[in-house]
Amino acid sequence: MHDPPRPRSRRPEARPANGEIAILWLTAGLSCDGETVALTGATQPSLEDLVAGGLPWTPRITLFHPFLAPEVGDEFVAYFHRAARGELGPFILVFEGSVPDEQNKAEGYWATFGTDPVTRQPITTCSWIDRLAPRAWAVLAVGTCAAYGGIHAIEGNPTGAMGLPDYLGRGWRSAGGLPVVCLPGCPAQPDNMTETLLYLLHQFTGHAPPIPLDDSLRPRWLFERTVHEGCDRGGHYEQGEFAEAYGSHLCIVKLGCWGPVVQCNVGKRGWMGGVGGCPNVGGICIGCTMPGFPDKFMPFMDQPPGSLLSSAAVMTYGRAMLALRRFTLASMNQEPGWRAGRSGAP
Ligand code: SF4
Ligand code: SF4
Protein backbone atom coordinates (compact mmCIF):
# COMPACT_ATOMS: atom_id res chain seq x y z
CA MET A 1 0.00 0.00 0.00
CA HIS A 2 1.29 3.44 -0.91
CA ASP A 3 0.42 6.57 1.04
CA PRO A 4 -2.05 8.72 -0.92
CA PRO A 5 -0.33 11.69 -2.61
CA ARG A 6 -0.36 14.80 -0.44
CA PRO A 7 -2.22 17.76 -1.96
CA ARG A 8 -0.03 20.55 -3.28
CA SER A 9 -0.24 23.87 -1.48
CA ARG A 10 -2.97 26.11 -2.83
CA ARG A 11 -1.07 29.24 -1.85
CA PRO A 12 0.07 31.23 -4.87
CA GLU A 13 3.27 32.21 -3.06
CA ALA A 14 4.34 30.31 0.03
CA ARG A 15 7.23 32.61 0.93
CA PRO A 16 6.56 36.31 1.49
CA ALA A 17 8.43 38.47 -1.05
CA ASN A 18 10.40 41.59 -0.20
CA GLY A 19 8.36 44.07 1.81
CA GLU A 20 5.82 41.40 2.73
CA ILE A 21 5.37 39.74 6.07
CA ALA A 22 3.92 36.46 7.27
CA ILE A 23 1.66 35.94 10.28
CA LEU A 24 2.25 32.63 12.00
CA TRP A 25 -0.61 31.88 14.36
CA LEU A 26 0.26 29.22 16.93
CA THR A 27 -2.78 27.85 18.78
CA ALA A 28 -0.81 25.16 20.58
CA GLY A 29 -0.76 26.72 24.04
CA LEU A 30 -3.15 25.52 26.74
CA SER A 31 -6.34 27.09 25.46
CA CYS A 32 -9.90 26.70 24.21
CA ASP A 33 -9.06 28.31 20.84
CA GLY A 34 -11.38 31.14 21.86
CA GLU A 35 -9.30 33.84 20.16
CA THR A 36 -9.45 31.93 16.88
CA VAL A 37 -13.23 31.72 17.14
CA ALA A 38 -13.51 35.39 18.15
CA LEU A 39 -11.21 36.47 15.33
CA THR A 40 -13.76 35.38 12.73
CA GLY A 41 -16.17 38.01 14.13
CA ALA A 42 -13.83 40.98 13.68
CA THR A 43 -15.19 43.81 11.56
CA GLN A 44 -12.99 46.86 12.24
CA PRO A 45 -10.99 45.67 10.38
CA SER A 46 -12.00 42.15 9.50
CA LEU A 47 -9.44 39.40 9.05
CA GLU A 48 -10.44 39.34 5.38
CA ASP A 49 -9.57 43.07 5.12
CA LEU A 50 -6.11 42.37 6.50
CA VAL A 51 -5.41 39.34 4.34
CA ALA A 52 -6.77 40.93 1.15
CA GLY A 53 -4.20 43.71 1.52
CA GLY A 54 -6.56 46.56 0.59
CA LEU A 55 -5.86 48.70 3.65
CA PRO A 56 -3.47 51.64 3.22
CA TRP A 57 0.11 51.45 4.49
CA THR A 58 0.00 47.73 5.09
CA PRO A 59 2.29 45.17 3.49
CA ARG A 60 0.94 42.10 1.82
CA ILE A 61 0.62 39.41 4.42
CA THR A 62 0.54 35.64 4.26
CA LEU A 63 -1.45 34.08 7.07
CA PHE A 64 -0.53 30.66 8.40
CA HIS A 65 -3.31 29.67 10.77
CA PRO A 66 -4.07 26.01 11.57
CA PHE A 67 -7.84 26.52 11.40
CA LEU A 68 -7.87 28.63 8.24
CA ALA A 69 -5.06 27.18 6.13
CA PRO A 70 -5.69 25.18 2.97
CA GLU A 71 -2.90 22.82 4.03
CA VAL A 72 -3.16 20.21 6.77
CA GLY A 73 -0.81 17.95 8.73
CA ASP A 74 2.90 17.91 7.87
CA GLU A 75 2.37 20.17 4.87
CA PHE A 76 1.10 22.91 7.17
CA VAL A 77 3.67 22.34 9.92
CA ALA A 78 6.41 22.61 7.28
CA TYR A 79 5.89 26.40 7.19
CA PHE A 80 6.69 26.58 10.91
CA HIS A 81 9.85 24.51 10.37
CA ARG A 82 10.88 26.89 7.60
CA ALA A 83 10.22 29.91 9.82
CA ALA A 84 12.29 28.31 12.60
CA ARG A 85 15.18 27.87 10.15
CA GLY A 86 14.90 31.50 9.05
CA GLU A 87 13.67 30.58 5.56
CA LEU A 88 10.25 32.24 5.64
CA GLY A 89 11.23 35.91 5.76
CA PRO A 90 9.94 38.35 8.38
CA PHE A 91 6.95 37.21 10.39
CA ILE A 92 4.72 38.14 13.29
CA LEU A 93 4.21 35.27 15.72
CA VAL A 94 0.72 35.25 17.22
CA PHE A 95 0.49 32.97 20.22
CA GLU A 96 -2.79 31.70 21.69
CA GLY A 97 -3.05 29.82 24.99
CA SER A 98 -0.87 29.67 28.07
CA VAL A 99 2.64 28.23 28.22
CA PRO A 100 2.95 25.10 30.36
CA ASP A 101 5.99 24.21 32.43
CA GLU A 102 7.41 21.17 30.66
CA GLN A 103 10.11 20.80 33.33
CA ASN A 104 7.76 20.09 36.25
CA LYS A 105 7.30 16.33 35.70
CA ALA A 106 9.36 13.22 35.09
CA GLU A 107 7.82 12.25 31.75
CA GLY A 108 5.22 13.19 29.17
CA TYR A 109 4.29 16.66 27.98
CA TRP A 110 1.51 19.20 28.44
CA ALA A 111 1.21 20.69 24.94
CA THR A 112 2.64 19.91 21.49
CA PHE A 113 2.33 20.93 17.85
CA GLY A 114 3.35 18.69 14.95
CA THR A 115 6.08 16.09 14.95
CA ASP A 116 9.78 16.05 14.30
CA PRO A 117 10.35 15.01 10.66
CA VAL A 118 13.21 12.69 11.65
CA THR A 119 12.22 11.20 14.99
CA ARG A 120 8.43 11.51 14.45
CA GLN A 121 8.19 12.52 18.10
CA PRO A 122 5.81 15.33 19.11
CA ILE A 123 7.37 18.79 19.31
CA THR A 124 6.41 20.63 22.48
CA THR A 125 4.85 24.05 22.26
CA CYS A 126 7.68 25.40 24.43
CA SER A 127 10.18 24.15 21.87
CA TRP A 128 8.31 25.99 19.11
CA ILE A 129 8.40 29.20 21.16
CA ASP A 130 12.14 28.76 21.69
CA ARG A 131 12.67 28.29 17.95
CA LEU A 132 10.30 30.92 16.59
CA ALA A 133 10.23 33.82 19.06
CA PRO A 134 13.86 34.93 18.51
CA ARG A 135 13.27 35.14 14.73
CA ALA A 136 9.87 36.89 14.94
CA TRP A 137 9.72 40.56 14.00
CA ALA A 138 7.00 40.89 16.66
CA VAL A 139 5.25 38.54 19.05
CA LEU A 140 1.59 39.04 19.92
CA ALA A 141 0.11 37.13 22.87
CA VAL A 142 -3.65 36.97 22.23
CA GLY A 143 -6.02 36.18 25.08
CA THR A 144 -5.42 36.31 28.81
CA CYS A 145 -3.97 32.79 28.82
CA ALA A 146 -1.18 33.78 26.44
CA ALA A 147 -0.69 37.15 28.13
CA TYR A 148 -0.73 36.23 31.83
CA GLY A 149 -1.59 32.54 32.18
CA GLY A 150 -5.35 32.97 32.57
CA ILE A 151 -7.62 30.13 33.65
CA HIS A 152 -4.88 27.47 33.44
CA ALA A 153 -2.64 29.43 35.78
CA ILE A 154 -5.20 29.37 38.59
CA GLU A 155 -3.76 28.53 42.01
CA GLY A 156 -3.20 24.80 42.45
CA ASN A 157 -3.06 23.91 38.74
CA PRO A 158 -0.64 21.07 37.91
CA THR A 159 0.64 22.49 34.60
CA GLY A 160 2.66 25.41 35.94
CA ALA A 161 0.98 27.48 33.21
CA MET A 162 2.19 31.02 32.61
CA GLY A 163 1.90 33.82 30.11
CA LEU A 164 4.36 34.34 27.28
CA PRO A 165 6.10 37.38 28.88
CA ASP A 166 6.80 35.30 31.99
CA TYR A 167 8.13 32.45 29.85
CA LEU A 168 10.38 34.62 27.69
CA GLY A 169 11.35 37.03 30.47
CA ARG A 170 10.20 40.59 31.04
CA GLY A 171 13.23 42.10 29.34
CA TRP A 172 12.81 40.00 26.20
CA ARG A 173 12.71 41.79 22.83
CA SER A 174 11.73 40.48 19.40
CA ALA A 175 13.85 40.77 16.25
CA GLY A 176 11.98 44.03 15.60
CA GLY A 177 12.92 45.31 19.07
CA LEU A 178 9.46 44.98 20.63
CA PRO A 179 8.49 43.39 23.93
CA VAL A 180 5.74 40.79 23.79
CA VAL A 181 2.55 42.68 22.92
CA CYS A 182 -0.27 41.40 25.15
CA LEU A 183 -3.89 41.47 24.11
CA PRO A 184 -5.81 40.01 27.03
CA GLY A 185 -9.46 39.01 27.22
CA CYS A 186 -11.19 35.69 27.66
CA PRO A 187 -11.41 35.66 24.75
CA ALA A 188 -9.75 38.79 23.40
CA GLN A 189 -12.21 41.19 21.78
CA PRO A 190 -12.18 40.47 18.01
CA ASP A 191 -11.52 44.02 16.75
CA ASN A 192 -8.85 44.54 19.40
CA MET A 193 -6.94 41.68 17.77
CA THR A 194 -7.22 42.87 14.17
CA GLU A 195 -6.68 46.53 15.11
CA THR A 196 -3.49 45.66 17.00
CA LEU A 197 -2.28 43.56 14.08
CA LEU A 198 -3.03 46.52 11.82
CA TYR A 199 -1.01 48.81 14.09
CA LEU A 200 1.94 46.40 14.01
CA LEU A 201 1.72 46.21 10.21
CA HIS A 202 1.80 50.01 10.04
CA GLN A 203 4.80 50.01 12.35
CA PHE A 204 6.46 47.37 10.17
CA THR A 205 6.13 49.60 7.11
CA GLY A 206 7.36 52.67 8.99
CA HIS A 207 3.98 54.40 9.11
CA ALA A 208 3.46 54.24 12.89
CA PRO A 209 5.69 54.86 15.91
CA PRO A 210 6.48 51.98 18.29
CA ILE A 211 3.27 50.58 19.68
CA PRO A 212 2.46 52.27 23.02
CA LEU A 213 2.08 49.68 25.78
CA ASP A 214 1.17 49.97 29.46
CA ASP A 215 3.01 48.27 32.33
CA SER A 216 1.10 45.05 31.65
CA LEU A 217 2.22 45.20 27.97
CA ARG A 218 -1.31 46.00 26.72
CA PRO A 219 -1.86 48.56 23.91
CA ARG A 220 -2.55 51.75 25.83
CA TRP A 221 -5.32 53.11 23.65
CA LEU A 222 -7.36 49.94 24.06
CA PHE A 223 -6.95 49.40 27.80
CA GLU A 224 -6.50 52.79 29.45
CA ARG A 225 -10.13 53.13 30.55
CA THR A 226 -12.26 50.96 32.79
CA VAL A 227 -15.33 48.98 31.75
CA HIS A 228 -17.35 51.22 34.06
CA GLU A 229 -16.27 54.37 32.22
CA GLY A 230 -17.82 53.04 29.02
CA CYS A 231 -20.77 51.08 30.38
CA ASP A 232 -24.33 51.64 29.19
CA ARG A 233 -25.47 51.20 32.81
CA GLY A 234 -23.17 53.90 34.19
CA GLY A 235 -26.02 56.42 34.56
CA HIS A 236 -27.90 54.00 36.82
CA TYR A 237 -24.81 53.46 38.97
CA GLU A 238 -24.41 57.20 39.39
CA GLN A 239 -28.05 57.49 40.51
CA GLY A 240 -27.71 54.62 42.98
CA GLU A 241 -30.02 52.30 41.03
CA PHE A 242 -28.79 48.75 41.51
CA ALA A 243 -30.34 45.52 40.24
CA GLU A 244 -31.09 42.86 42.87
CA ALA A 245 -31.60 40.13 40.24
CA TYR A 246 -30.76 39.40 36.61
CA GLY A 247 -33.10 40.62 33.89
CA SER A 248 -32.94 44.25 35.00
CA HIS A 249 -31.59 47.24 33.05
CA LEU A 250 -30.09 48.72 36.24
CA CYS A 251 -26.44 48.59 37.31
CA ILE A 252 -25.39 45.02 38.20
CA VAL A 253 -22.56 45.78 40.61
CA LYS A 254 -24.43 44.05 43.45
CA LEU A 255 -24.63 40.92 41.32
CA GLY A 256 -20.83 40.77 41.03
CA CYS A 257 -19.74 43.30 38.39
CA TRP A 258 -16.08 44.33 38.74
CA GLY A 259 -16.32 46.93 35.94
CA PRO A 260 -15.24 49.98 38.03
CA VAL A 261 -11.75 48.48 38.58
CA VAL A 262 -11.19 46.58 35.33
CA GLN A 263 -9.40 47.93 32.25
CA CYS A 264 -11.29 46.76 29.18
CA ASN A 265 -12.98 48.49 26.25
CA VAL A 266 -15.85 46.15 25.43
CA GLY A 267 -18.32 48.45 27.17
CA LYS A 268 -17.48 51.08 24.55
CA ARG A 269 -16.61 48.85 21.63
CA GLY A 270 -19.20 46.13 21.99
CA TRP A 271 -18.39 42.60 21.02
CA MET A 272 -19.21 42.07 17.37
CA GLY A 273 -20.03 44.83 14.91
CA GLY A 274 -20.36 47.26 17.84
CA VAL A 275 -23.11 45.18 19.49
CA GLY A 276 -22.90 43.62 22.95
CA GLY A 277 -20.19 44.02 25.59
CA CYS A 278 -20.60 42.17 28.88
CA PRO A 279 -22.42 44.54 31.28
CA ASN A 280 -24.20 46.31 28.42
CA VAL A 281 -26.11 43.09 27.79
CA GLY A 282 -26.51 41.99 31.42
CA GLY A 283 -23.33 40.01 32.08
CA ILE A 284 -21.23 40.91 35.11
CA CYS A 285 -17.63 41.87 34.37
CA ILE A 286 -15.37 39.21 35.88
CA GLY A 287 -12.12 41.03 35.09
CA CYS A 288 -10.96 38.69 32.34
CA THR A 289 -8.48 41.19 30.83
CA MET A 290 -6.55 41.65 34.07
CA PRO A 291 -3.27 39.98 35.10
CA GLY A 292 -4.95 39.03 38.42
CA PHE A 293 -7.64 37.00 36.61
CA PRO A 294 -9.14 34.62 37.66
CA ASP A 295 -7.92 34.21 41.26
CA LYS A 296 -8.41 37.82 42.38
CA PHE A 297 -11.96 38.02 41.00
CA MET A 298 -13.40 34.87 42.56
CA PRO A 299 -16.00 33.87 43.56
CA PHE A 300 -17.41 35.44 40.41
CA MET A 301 -21.05 35.86 41.46
CA ASP A 302 -20.40 37.71 44.73
CA GLN A 303 -20.51 41.48 45.04
CA PRO A 304 -16.92 42.79 44.85
CA PRO A 305 -15.90 43.65 48.43
CA GLY A 306 -14.62 47.10 47.45
CA SER A 307 -17.94 48.04 45.89
CA LEU A 308 -19.83 47.67 49.19
CA LEU A 309 -18.49 51.01 50.39
CA SER A 310 -18.62 52.82 47.05
CA SER A 311 -22.15 51.69 46.19
CA ALA A 312 -23.35 52.69 49.67
CA ALA A 313 -21.81 56.15 49.20
CA VAL A 314 -23.32 56.48 45.73
CA MET A 315 -26.74 55.49 47.10
CA THR A 316 -26.81 58.53 49.40
CA TYR A 317 -25.80 61.02 46.75
CA GLY A 318 -27.37 59.27 43.76
CA ARG A 319 -30.83 58.78 45.23
CA ALA A 320 -31.00 62.49 46.20
CA MET A 321 -29.92 63.49 42.70
CA LEU A 322 -32.42 61.08 41.17
CA ALA A 323 -35.29 62.63 43.16
CA LEU A 324 -34.30 66.14 42.01
CA ARG A 325 -33.90 64.98 38.41
CA ARG A 326 -37.32 63.37 38.39
CA PHE A 327 -38.81 66.63 39.67
CA THR A 328 -37.04 68.59 36.92
CA LEU A 329 -37.89 65.96 34.30
CA ALA A 330 -41.60 66.22 35.13
CA SER A 331 -41.35 69.97 34.60
CA MET A 332 -39.52 69.53 31.28
CA ASN A 333 -42.34 67.33 30.07
CA GLN A 334 -44.69 70.36 30.26
CA GLU A 335 -44.77 72.92 27.45
CA PRO A 336 -43.74 76.46 28.47
CA GLY A 337 -46.51 78.42 30.22
CA TRP A 338 -46.64 81.21 27.60
CA ARG A 339 -47.94 78.70 25.00
CA ALA A 340 -51.01 77.94 27.09
CA GLY A 341 -53.12 80.77 25.66
CA ARG A 342 -52.16 80.37 21.96
CA SER A 343 -55.09 78.17 20.94
CA GLY A 344 -57.55 80.04 23.03
CA ALA A 345 -57.22 77.53 25.83
CA PRO A 346 -57.38 79.01 29.36
S1 SF4 B 1 -22.83 47.28 35.38
FE1 SF4 B 1 -20.69 47.22 36.12
S2 SF4 B 1 -19.54 48.47 34.67
FE2 SF4 B 1 -21.72 48.93 34.34
S3 SF4 B 1 -22.16 50.73 35.61
FE3 SF4 B 1 -22.60 48.93 36.89
S4 SF4 B 1 -20.68 48.49 37.99
FE4 SF4 B 1 -20.17 49.85 36.28
S1 SF4 C 1 -16.17 43.49 30.37
FE1 SF4 C 1 -15.04 42.31 31.94
S2 SF4 C 1 -15.65 40.16 31.61
FE2 SF4 C 1 -16.23 41.33 29.76
S3 SF4 C 1 -14.50 41.15 28.33
FE3 SF4 C 1 -14.14 43.01 29.52
S4 SF4 C 1 -12.89 42.38 31.29
FE4 SF4 C 1 -13.76 40.52 30.40
Side-chain angles (χ1 to χ4, degrees):
M1 284 274 297
H2 294 288
D3 290 338
R6 286 217 298 265
R8 291 168 59 85
S9 171
R10 277 174 275 162
R11 294 180 194 274
E13 175 54 74
R15 186 190 195 286
N18 279 347
E20 300 182 6
I21 192 166
I23 296 177
L24 268 67
W25 195 294
L26 193 55
T27 59
L30 302 176
S31 87
C32 64
D33 297 326
E35 277 66 42
T36 289
V37 175
L39 178 71
T40 61
T43 57
Q44 295 176 335
S46 69
L47 182 62
E48 294 87 338
D49 290 335
L50 286 177
V51 173
L55 299 168
W57 300 334
T58 57
R60 271 191 52 194
I61 66 170
T62 312
L63 175 67
F64 298 98
H65 190 299
F67 288 57
L68 304 171
E71 305 90 346
V72 295
D74 288 345
E75 190 183 5
F76 176 72
V77 178
Y79 292 118
F80 288 71
H81 285 299
R82 288 171 56 189
R85 292 194 300 266
E87 298 171 2
L88 201 67
F91 64 89
I92 296 173
L93 176 64
V94 182
F95 186 75
E96 181 173 349
S98 58
V99 188
D101 180 1
E102 296 291 0
Q103 312 299 323
N104 71 352
K105 58 201 174 313
E107 58 182 351
Y109 40 78
W110 296 116
T112 69
F113 171 63
T115 53
D116 185 288
V118 177
T119 66
R120 306 310 298 174
Q121 291 299 305
I123 302 173
T124 65
T125 300
C126 290
S127 175
W128 279 114
I129 297 169
D130 297 342
R131 299 176 194 192
L132 294 172
R135 293 190 183 277
W137 178 79
V139 173
L140 179 59
V142 289
T144 300
C145 299
Y148 313 123
I151 293 283
H152 317 104
I154 197 169
E155 185 179 12
N157 84 87
T159 65
M162 66 194 95
L164 202 50
D166 283 340
Y167 180 77
L168 291 172
R170 287 284 161 162
W172 183 89
R173 293 292 181 273
S174 68
L178 287 77
V180 177
V181 177
C182 290
L183 208 53
C186 192
Q189 202 276 352
D191 296 329
N192 284 353
M193 285 191 276
T194 51
E195 187 175 295
T196 303
L197 275 171
L198 182 61
Y199 191 104
L200 291 173
L201 293 171
H202 284 168
Q203 185 178 334
F204 177 73
T205 57
H207 288 92
I211 187 167
L213 303 176
D214 66 16
D215 291 344
S216 298
L217 302 176
R218 299 169 289 205
R220 280 188 186 281
W221 78 95
L222 295 175
F223 289 92
E224 61 193 352
R225 300 193 204 293
T226 65
V227 179
H228 187 70
E229 288 164 347
C231 179
D232 284 355
R233 298 171 190 250
H236 292 296
Y237 180 97
E238 185 246 358
Q239 292 178 164
E241 298 177 296
F242 302 117
E244 300 292 340
Y246 284 103
S248 165
H249 63 279
L250 303 179
C251 168
I252 49 180
V253 71
K254 289 191 170 184
L255 304 183
C257 184
W258 282 83
V261 291
V262 169
Q263 291 164 264
C264 172
N265 66 347
V266 310
K268 294 284 277 186
R269 184 159 224 173
W271 195 255
M272 199 185 296
V275 178
C278 307
N280 293 347
V281 290
I284 55 171
C285 171
I286 56 174
C288 77
T289 58
M290 303 295 276
F293 177 83
D295 302 67
K296 290 187 175 177
F297 296 90
M298 294 169 67
F300 289 141
M301 310 300 275
D302 287 2
Q303 182 172 5
S307 74
L308 291 168
L309 182 62
S310 57
S311 58
V314 165
M315 289 265 271
T316 308
Y317 158 87
R319 290 286 167 86
M321 286 300 115
L322 181 59
L324 290 170
R325 284 170 185 167
R326 284 191 171 142
F327 179 77
T328 306
L329 188 146
S331 165
M332 295 300 131
N333 266 329
Q334 304 296 321
E335 292 194 42
W338 64 268
R339 293 184 195 161
R342 283 186 308 175
S343 60

